[in-house]
């Protein structure tokens, strides 16, 4: 597989993250306009966006085409475990930074 093909394949996580974030923002707009039942969907899709970004970071940090090439548990039982994904992406230093730490702690809760 060429480097271009590898990047295109793992960039699907990036693309999925952007699309889920846009979906979440759309639902959030509806929730803010009075359709409170959209709030849960917005939160769920935002969480999926975070998961996709973490999986993209895992691929980049580990030079993988697909996250389950080396970390199949990120697709299966630990796929929704954000802390585990952050560790596998070697991003624990990033969430310790002061400007991110407070927001990250809210996400974990």
């Amino acid at each position: 597989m060429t480097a271009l093909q590898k990047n295109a394949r793992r960039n699907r996580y990036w693309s999925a993250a952007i699309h889920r974030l846009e979906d979440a923002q759309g639902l959030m707009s509806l929730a803010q306009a009075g359709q409170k039942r959209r709030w849960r969907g917005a939160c769920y899709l935002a969480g999926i966006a975070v998961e996709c970004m973490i999986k993209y970071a895992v691929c980049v940090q580990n030079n993988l085409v697909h996250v389950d090439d080396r970390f199949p548990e990120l697709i299966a039982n630990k796929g929704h475990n954000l802390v585990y994904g952050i560790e596998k992406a070697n991003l624990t230093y990033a969430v310790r930074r002061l400007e991110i730490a407070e927001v990250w702690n809210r996400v974990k809760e």
Side-chain angles (χ1 to χ4, degrees):
M1 179 175 288
T2 69
L4 185 61
Q5 290 170 319
K6 183 183 282 190
N7 285 336
R9 186 129 181 244
R10 71 179 169 207
N11 284 346
R12 290 180 190 170
Y13 288 119
W14 177 270
S15 179
I18 299 302
H19 288 126
R20 295 305 73 78
L21 186 57
E22 290 170 350
D23 294 343
Q25 289 169 331
L27 287 175
M28 187 61 122
S29 294
L30 291 173
Q32 290 171 338
Q35 295 184 30
K36 298 296 181 196
R37 296 177 65 191
R38 302 295 183 179
W39 175 254
R40 283 188 183 167
C43 290
Y44 178 79
L45 288 172
I48 296 295
V50 171
E51 288 178 26
C52 290
M53 278 296 193
I54 289 171
K55 289 174 183 174
Y56 173 77
V58 168
C59 287
V60 170
Q61 289 288 336
N62 294 282
N63 197 28
L64 302 174
V65 173
H66 195 272
V67 75
D68 70 352
D69 291 343
R70 185 161 167 204
F71 302 104
E73 66 276 12
L74 283 174
I75 300 298
N77 59 336
K78 294 200 181 238
H80 298 298
N81 186 328
L82 300 179
V83 174
Y84 183 80
I86 289 287
E87 290 170 0
K88 294 304 170 195
N90 296 319
L91 292 173
T92 52
Y93 70 91
V95 297
R96 289 189 192 122
R97 290 176 48 194
L98 188 57
E99 64 270 17
I100 298 173
E102 183 180 331
V103 175
W104 175 245
N105 288 330
R106 277 190 263 156
V107 168
K108 285 194 314 187
E109 289 174 11

